[in-house]
Amino acid sequence: MKMKKFMACAAAGALLVSMLAGCGGDNADTNTATQAGSEEDLAYKVSDDPIELTFFYAGLNGTTPFEDDYPVFTEAARLTNVTLTGTVPTTNTDPYQAFNTMMASGELDDVVTANKSDFDQYAGQGAFIPLEELIEEYAPNIKAFLDEHPDVKKGITSFDGHIYFLPRYEDSGTAKGWYIRKDWLEALNLEEPQTVDEVYNVLKAFKEQDPNGNGQQDEVPFFNREGTMSDIYNLFGIRQNFSINEETGKVQYSKYVPEYKTAVENAAKWYAEGLIDQEIFTRGANSREELLGNNTGGMTHDWFTSTSSYNEKLQESVPGINFDVIAPPADINGDVWEDTNRTQEYVGWGISATNEYPEETIKYFDFWYTESGKRLYNYGVEGVHYNLIDGQPEYTSDFLATDKSMTAVWNENGMALFIGGYKEFNAERQFMSEEALVGMDLYTNNNYIKDAFPSLPFSEEERKVISDTLPAVQSYMDEQEQKWIMGTEDVNSTFDQYMETCKNLGMDDVLAAYDSAYQRYLSN
Ligand code: CA
């Protein structure tokens, strides 16, 4: 019956869209309004009368629920005449539950931020309206953006060929890199590790040769705050989670390929020798604070900007600390590559079928893709958060001088939220130290970074196969992995049985569903 409600809304929405699409021609001012850097504030008005839209933003990816007085959105409201009013309590800490509650109620906010998979699922039930015609008619900047980024367009297109949301786009893929205590390398007279064997030898030396100089073997050579061994598996040629096999062009899964045997066998060996954090699966998000702060952590693989901040933070408590970037060590096949890539268009905002202002809403969305909108999204309000220096936005020194993380100060001002926006990496660079920039440019300029796994347009049937099957297989995989790593079961004698069990649990069906969605993606 919820479904019925959505269907009725969808029909109304579709009608409205086609009516709107049929009465274009009086939007010339909208087109001129979107000229880059226009000084005429009126240029961005999407309506003569103020419009208020309810807004679902529950705080995805570490951000918090939307607050109505974010300076960035107050400025956007001044320019566009559209005000967003958040509906998720700011105390909410479970974005998925908040989303499910709203969807179950059938009462949707006018503008909804969600994951691509959510849009795919609920658009099929009529909860969200298709945007292509609205974009064509009223959103020249979005149209230009999608024309210039055909991969993004593919990534946001649903299985039924429609576009239901506009994504948070990142103009740079750089995400994570390898970090090592270079001061320890120096103390032990070691070179930066460039191969798997050299990584092993360095970690072994960190373990046995007391680089922190306290007379104890208390070093934790390799650690990872996300509780995953996938960085180590990378060294053995395995990509994380789902990826495209470069030879066959088929979708594969990291823990369901023959090469996984060698990877997990070696990881278990390294773990048994104390080269990997014995608490890697449980230590959690504060691993860097803990293990760098107490001068025991030696190497990790993590986000550039935040990981680069520890040298300065810890310069007094850990004198001489130099936790710095190295190039990815070559894997066992001799290939040098980085697995993580942040360019994935899987979160953004869409228009619900009950929104009474689809035309104004798409124009409002379009504002965020103008030069002024992009600048507001990335840098905040001129004179408050940034100034123009030689025509380029630069954060004020007050804004940069913060003890909080970059993402926290963005969040509290409403910058770079997970809405339909164009995130410029140049903004993030302003938070980074010179040495971090050098390290990161190493990854970019040498093209180490592999393509991200695309956002796939799953059909309802494919989604069902995956949601019915994958969680159980994954939990079996994780359980077995821990047994191997902890040494309670031997990899060599149990691996074949493991692959057989994954197959019996339906992993081939999952891959087939991924493959058919991938073929659809390619043809979009
Ligand atoms: Ca020591």
Side-chain angles (χ1 to χ4, degrees):
M1 99 204 138
K2 294 275 155 48
M3 185 96 81
K4 220 173 208 170
K5 188 165 186 180
F6 284 150
M7 297 297 266
C9 299
L15 189 63
L16 199 53
V17 171
S18 57
M19 280 165 60
L20 292 170
C23 64
D26 57 348
N27 316 297
D29 56 334
T30 315
N31 294 322
T32 53
T34 50
Q35 288 304 311
S38 167
E39 288 174 20
E40 182 56 73
D41 283 352
L42 288 173
Y44 300 107
K45 286 253 184 306
V46 307
S47 159
D48 289 337
D49 298 320
I51 291 177
E52 267 199 36
L53 300 173
T54 53
F55 180 34
F56 179 87
Y57 185 90
L60 289 166
N61 299 322
T63 60
T64 51
F66 186 79
E67 294 182 34
D68 298 346
D69 59 355
Y70 283 144
V72 162
F73 285 82
T74 304
E75 177 68 0
R78 188 182 73 79
L79 292 169
T80 61
N81 230 0
V82 174
T83 301
L84 300 185
T85 307
T87 57
V88 181
T90 51
T91 49
N92 181 73
T93 54
D94 188 341
Y96 298 103
Q97 195 193 6
F99 180 79
N100 291 333
T101 303
M102 177 182 64
M103 298 314 292
S105 77
E107 305 281 329
L108 269 60
D109 290 334
D110 296 320
V111 174
V112 174
T113 296
N115 289 306
K116 174 189 164 66
S117 56
D118 297 323
F119 283 112
D120 278 354
Q121 179 178 349
Y122 288 102
Q125 299 171 25
F128 300 104
I129 60 172
L131 304 179
E132 313 88 77
E133 288 180 11
L134 287 168
I135 292 171
E136 187 68 32
E137 202 70 24
Y138 302 112
N141 293 283
I142 295 173
K143 185 171 155 32
F145 167 75
L146 293 177
D147 286 347
E148 284 160 21
H149 299 86
D151 283 357
V152 175
K153 196 171 180 182
K154 267 187 192 185
I156 61 174
T157 301
S158 186
F159 68 98
D160 62 6
H162 288 301
I163 290 173
Y164 294 105
F165 75 107
L166 290 161
R168 182 185 197 261
Y169 170 77
E170 305 247 13
D171 70 357
S172 162
T174 51
K176 297 182 184 179
W178 293 85
Y179 280 75
I180 198 162
R181 283 289 296 265
K182 288 190 177 171
D183 52 322
W184 286 8
L185 291 175
E186 210 168 303
L188 301 180
N189 208 10
L190 296 164
E191 299 289 322
E192 292 176 13
Q194 295 179 346
T195 64
V196 182
D197 286 346
E198 289 174 12
V199 172
Y200 175 84
N201 290 334
V202 161
L203 296 178
K204 196 86 175 163
F206 282 1
K207 182 71 199 165
E208 294 174 349
Q209 297 178 28
D210 191 25
N212 67 6
N214 66 351
Q216 299 168 32
Q217 284 196 0
D218 58 345
E219 285 78 1
V220 179
F222 181 85
F223 63 96
N224 174 293
R225 70 185 162 120
E226 287 173 1
T228 166
M229 302 293 271
S230 57
D231 313 321
I232 303 296
Y233 300 155
N234 283 170
L235 299 175
F236 293 88
I238 293 183
R239 296 203 63 180
Q240 291 182 47
N241 301 322
F242 290 96
S243 59
I244 308 299
N245 183 307
E246 287 170 14
E247 277 162 30
T248 64
K250 294 263 189 188
V251 177
Q252 59 188 2
Y253 188 74
S254 57
K255 295 176 187 172
Y256 192 55
V257 290
E259 299 80 14
Y260 178 47
K261 184 179 180 183
T262 306
V264 74
E265 217 164 16
N266 278 276
K269 175 176 185 284
W270 292 19
Y271 183 88
E273 294 176 15
L275 311 188
I276 292 170
D277 184 6
Q278 300 297 289
E279 294 171 44
I280 190 162
F281 294 121
T282 53
R283 193 180 298 276
N286 285 326
S287 297
R288 292 179 304 181
E289 282 77 6
E290 198 178 327
L291 298 176
L292 296 173
N294 70 9
N295 199 14
T296 59
M299 186 179 191
T300 197
H301 179 255
D302 211 321
W303 286 83
F304 284 106
T305 310
S306 60
T307 311
S308 290
S309 69
Y310 288 93
N311 289 341
E312 199 182 323
K313 280 185 197 159
L314 299 173
Q315 59 182 337
E316 283 177 21
S317 54
V318 186
I321 183 172
N322 184 15
F323 199 54
D324 199 9
V325 183
I326 57 168
D331 71 11
I332 47 166
N333 307 310
D335 298 328
V336 179
W337 54 285
E338 170 54 44
D339 201 8
T340 61
N341 183 332
R342 66 166 102 184
T343 55
Q344 293 175 64
E345 298 75 34
Y346 55 78
V347 181
W349 57 13
I351 302 177
S352 70
T354 47
N355 181 322
E356 290 174 15
Y357 302 97
E359 175 188 328
E360 288 84 355
T361 306
I362 202 76
K363 287 180 178 174
Y364 176 74
F365 285 1
D366 194 61
F367 161 73
W368 293 98
Y369 292 81
T370 64
E371 286 306 313
S372 291
K374 279 195 247 181
R375 194 175 291 161
L376 182 61
Y377 179 79
N378 286 282
Y379 298 95
V381 181
E382 186 175 2
V384 178
H385 305 107
Y386 76 92
N387 291 305
L388 282 179
I389 313 282
D390 298 331
Q392 296 302 314
E394 289 188 18
Y395 290 125
T396 64
S397 48
D398 279 356
F399 185 74
L400 289 172
T402 175
D403 291 338
K404 297 174 189 168
S405 71
M406 172 187 73
T407 44
V409 291
W410 276 346
N411 194 170
E412 68 191 23
N413 288 288
M415 294 174 199
L417 296 188
F418 285 80
I419 59 171
Y422 187 110
K423 183 143 174 304
E424 294 176 2
F425 192 65
N426 192 43
E428 186 163 339
R429 289 181 76 96
Q430 296 185 22
F431 279 89
M432 298 179 73
S433 67
E434 199 51 45
E435 51 183 357
L437 287 172
V438 169
M440 209 181 48
D441 288 344
L442 184 73
Y443 281 60
T444 313
N445 299 341
N446 289 297
N447 294 318
Y448 292 148
I449 300 167
K450 295 253 192 189
D451 288 344
F453 187 67
S455 302
L456 298 182
F458 294 108
S459 70
E460 198 176 336
E461 198 180 323
E462 289 154 0
R463 243 192 331 266
K464 186 168 185 337
V465 170
I466 293 163
S467 65
D468 285 352
T469 311
L470 187 57
V473 193
Q474 274 176 327
S475 84
Y476 167 69
M477 287 171 164
D478 292 348
E479 252 171 60
Q480 187 60 47
E481 180 189 19
Q482 294 212 10
K483 286 181 190 164
W484 283 331
I485 299 293
M486 304 289 191
T488 58
E489 277 192 24
D490 169 60
V491 177
N492 193 38
S493 58
T494 57
F495 191 81
D496 291 348
Q497 181 57 50
Y498 160 80
M499 292 292 274
E500 191 65 27
T501 305
C502 294
K503 192 188 182 73
N504 293 339
L505 287 169
M507 195 57 196
D508 289 344
D509 301 333
V510 171
L511 290 178
Y514 267 81
D515 262 322
S516 63
Y518 180 54
Q519 291 309 317
R520 187 177 307 118
Y521 167 86
L522 291 176
S523 67
N524 269 343

